[in-house]
Amino acid sequence: MEKSILIQNYHPQGTKALIRDFKNIGFRVFSPDSDWGRIGYFAENNGLGGEIISFEDYMRTSPGFVLIGCKAQEEDLKSIANIHSDKIVLNIAQQHHVYEDGISDVLICPDIALWRSYPGNIDHRLLYFPRPIIEYVPVKDVRQSFESRTIASYISIPTFWKRGLPAFETFREQWSGSGNCYMFGHEAADGMLTPADCNARMATSFFTVHFKDDEAYGLSCLESMMLGTPIVSTHEFMQEKTLGEYFLRPDNSIVTDTIEEAIAALNALTLSEYQKMSHNARATVLDLTSDERTIQPLRRAMDAVIHSS
C-alpha cells in the first residue's frame, strides 16, 4: 500500500495536528478540494497542511488510507475508501460514538473511557494524545498573570452543556469578588476569539476554568497548559476523563469536590506555588504529547498494517 492518507477536516485544530503527525511519520497527506459531492459533513481543508486534491486526481493515486475523523463522516468516507480500495484509520475524538465493527485496523483515540471499553475488534488501539498546534506562543509573565486574577473559559455553544453552563455561572458569580471571569467561544457570553487572540488571552490569564459535561480530551485546556496557565475544575467534570486521569494533577492544576473549594484554593495560592504550577502544567503536556508517546507508536502501527497487506 502507498504511504498516503486522505484526511477531511472534522475540527480544524485536531485535524491540523493529525495531518502534522502523519506527515512526520513519512505519509503523504491528501485533503479534498471540495465536498466531492460525496462528503455530507464537509469543512474547508485549506491551511491545515494537507495536499489539496480533486476527486478525479485522488482516484488516480494508488490505494492508501482514509482517516475517519468523526461519526458524521463515517458512511461518506467509508464509501470513498471502498471505491479507492483504501484501508481505514479510525479517529474517535468524541465520547459515546461507536462505529461499524471491523471498520479499521488502527484506532486513534484520546478518550480514556472509550479506549478502555470500545467494543470493536481493532488490532492497533492507540491511546493517542496529539500535541495542540499553537501558532502564536506569547511569553507568559507569571507574576502579572498571578496578580491579574483573570480566569477564562473556552467552550463553544455553552447552552448545550446542561451541567457545565450552570457550574460556570456559579463559579463566575463567586469569583467576581477576587477578579474577572470570562467565557469565550461560539455563542459564548464574551464572544469568539481568533486562535491567536485565544492563545494570547490564555497566556495572560491566572487560570483556565473548564466545566463541560462531555469532553474527554479538551484541546483548549492542553493549549492553556502549554502556555503555562493551569486548569481549575471539579471532580464531577473530570471523572473518567482523559484530562482528569492523565493531565490534571495536584502540582499543575486545581480540581476539587465543589466550586466553593476551588475558589478557596485559588485564593489561598501563593505566587511561588503558582510559578511551580505554571511550570508543571507545561511540562506535563509536553511529556504526554511527546514523539515517544505519539509519533513512534503511530509509526509502528501504520508500518504493521502496511507490511501485513
Side-chain angles (χ1 to χ4, degrees):
M1 302 195 73
E2 284 288 311
K3 240 185 162 178
S4 65
I5 188 165
L6 181 75
I7 299 182
Q8 162 59 37
N9 184 8
Y10 70 95
H11 173 283
Q13 294 302 97
T15 302
K16 190 182 294 186
L18 287 175
I19 288 174
R20 173 204 60 203
D21 289 355
F22 273 97
K23 289 171 74 173
N24 280 344
I25 63 169
F27 269 65
R28 189 176 183 184
V29 180
F30 297 113
S31 294
D33 67 346
S34 66
D35 66 9
W36 288 358
R38 298 170 180 271
I39 305 172
Y41 189 86
F42 176 81
E44 294 292 336
N45 293 293
N46 293 319
L48 300 183
E51 296 181 39
I52 305 301
I53 193 169
S54 68
F55 180 75
E56 293 74 21
D57 286 343
Y58 183 69
M59 287 298 118
R60 285 192 281 269
T61 65
S62 299
F65 293 84
V66 168
L67 178 88
I68 294 181
C70 66
K71 183 66 177 177
Q73 296 175 345
E74 179 180 2
E75 292 304 318
D76 295 336
L77 293 182
K78 184 177 69 174
S79 174
I80 291 168
N82 288 337
I83 294 169
H84 195 244
S85 299
D86 296 315
K87 285 186 172 292
I88 289 173
V89 175
L90 190 57
N91 171 53
I92 305 184
Q94 295 165 300
Q95 292 184 312
H96 315 305
H97 285 181
V98 176
Y99 296 72
E100 175 187 313
D101 191 24
I103 193 173
S104 175
D105 297 307
V106 180
L107 165 67
I108 298 174
C109 182
D111 178 347
I112 182 63
L114 190 58
W115 179 77
R116 286 171 176 158
S117 64
Y118 194 76
N121 180 23
I122 295 175
D123 291 336
H124 305 279
R125 301 157 67 103
L126 306 183
L127 185 60
Y128 198 82
F129 304 148
R131 179 174 293 177
I133 293 176
I134 300 179
E135 296 173 352
Y136 170 60
V137 184
V139 177
K140 184 177 182 68
D141 184 326
V142 176
R143 179 181 291 276
Q144 185 180 59
S145 295
F146 178 80
E147 293 174 350
S148 77
R149 318 304 282 177
T150 297
I151 292 178
S153 172
Y154 306 90
I155 294 178
S156 290
I157 319 180
T159 53
F160 185 77
W161 308 110
K162 301 305 180 186
R163 291 182 295 119
L165 180 57
F168 172 79
E169 290 173 339
T170 299
F171 179 93
R172 177 157 59 179
E173 182 179 350
Q174 293 191 25
W175 184 247
S176 62
S178 303
N180 296 317
C181 187
Y182 302 95
M183 175 177 277
F184 299 106
H186 181 59
E187 297 183 12
D190 297 299
M192 188 83 173
L193 298 175
T194 66
D197 287 342
C198 182
N199 292 152
R201 176 72 73 154
M202 285 177 177
T204 57
S205 292
F206 179 39
F207 271 77
T208 290
V209 60
H210 190 73
F211 299 122
K212 195 170 183 180
D213 301 21
D214 292 316
E215 171 124 9
Y217 194 47
L219 279 172
S220 63
C221 290
L222 269 59
E223 289 180 26
S224 175
M225 294 172 74
M226 282 179 65
L227 292 165
T229 299
I231 308 302
V232 58
S233 187
T234 61
H235 293 298
E236 174 188 359
F237 295 96
M238 291 297 118
Q239 286 183 329
E240 298 185 349
K241 305 287 180 65
T242 300
L243 274 171
E245 290 201 30
Y246 277 80
F247 287 88
L248 305 190
R249 306 166 183 170
D251 68 349
N252 69 19
S253 59
I254 290 176
V255 182
T256 59
D257 288 331
T258 67
I259 289 172
E260 290 74 18
E261 289 172 349
I263 297 290
L266 288 165
N267 283 322
L269 203 63
T270 66
L271 175 59
S272 176
E273 291 169 336
Y274 182 67
Q275 287 172 327
K276 293 175 182 176
M277 195 170 278
S278 172
H279 171 81
N280 292 337
R282 175 173 167 76
T284 298
V285 176
L286 294 180
D287 174 45
L288 292 176
T289 64
S290 65
D291 284 359
E292 290 77 13
R293 294 176 180 267
T294 56
I295 299 299
Q296 292 179 16
L298 180 62
R299 179 183 287 113
R300 289 193 294 269
M302 298 304 297
D303 284 347
V305 174
I306 291 170
H307 292 150
S308 67
S309 299

